Amino acid sequence: MNQTTRALIAKFSPMWTNKQVWEFDQLNEDLRFDAIYVKPLNYDEKLWKSKSAHLDVKIRDMVVRTFDHMIDGEELWISNKNQRNIDEKYVPYLMAVMADVMIEEEICLNFKIDNGCFVVSIDSDADVIDCKEFFEEFYHLATGFNYDTDTGIPQDETEAEMYLTRLQEEFDENMKGILGDKYLPGNNDPDTINAK
């Protein structure tokens, strides 16, 4: 991770969980941002008035639709709607949303605040260690657990596995009660490696 990203993550640590993001989305249903893609070092205020600006958008939907720009090396600049700067209270939300969008592809990101905007880009220099560090910061995005919080999970690996299996079974039971036969138990990927 580059130093700017590391500093921004440290400033807003611990990162939000999916539950916090979901709750924030529920409380702020109309939350929208302005965004533009910019070639590195080519930011210009005029770009907000160009055809390439994405104004008044839900950020997750927009990023999923326009992700190719980031793959092509462009930076995503995000501001409050109609303001050309970002309110600091939205930065942890945006970091969590961006990491969540990238988590499946395991794409590491760089974050910075520049000209008052929140800027995201793909970390093309990231090696395996950088990626591990980055996603460890967002570990609880997927799990809901923070490393520094006592989660009640036993330290012993066998006991921990039994504990987590029991939690999964209880969850499956509850979901079966709600969804009936529509619910597919377990949230693990199929074991395709050992499949015959």
Side-chain angles (χ1 to χ4, degrees), residues 3 11 13 18 33 37 51 54 90 92 132 142 150 172 192:
Q3 293 309 313
K11 180 175 180 177
S13 204
N18 268 336
F33 296 93
Y37 284 102
K51 283 191 290 188
H54 300 269
Y90 296 128
K132 181 177 181 292
D150 182 12
D172 289 342
T192 50

Side-chain angles (χ1 to χ4, degrees), residues 96-130:
V97 167
M98 292 303 301
D100 189 41
V101 169
M102 304 299 170
I103 219 161
E104 206 164 293
E105 306 301 324
E106 295 184 357
I107 294 172
C108 296
L109 299 171
N110 287 325
F111 301 129
K112 65 181 177 181
I113 304 289
D114 198 345
N115 280 293
C117 297
F118 178 66
V119 183
V120 186
S121 59
I122 290 176
D123 186 351
S124 52
D125 297 326
D127 59 19
V128 174
I129 292 164
D130 290 323

Side-chain angles (χ1 to χ4, degrees), residues 4 8 14 48 71 86 122 132 138 140 154 156 164 172 185 191:
T4 312
L8 210 53
W48 292 106
I71 290 175
I86 195 72
I122 290 176
K132 181 177 181 292
F138 292 93
H140 44 287
D156 178 73
L164 292 170
D172 289 342
D191 186 1

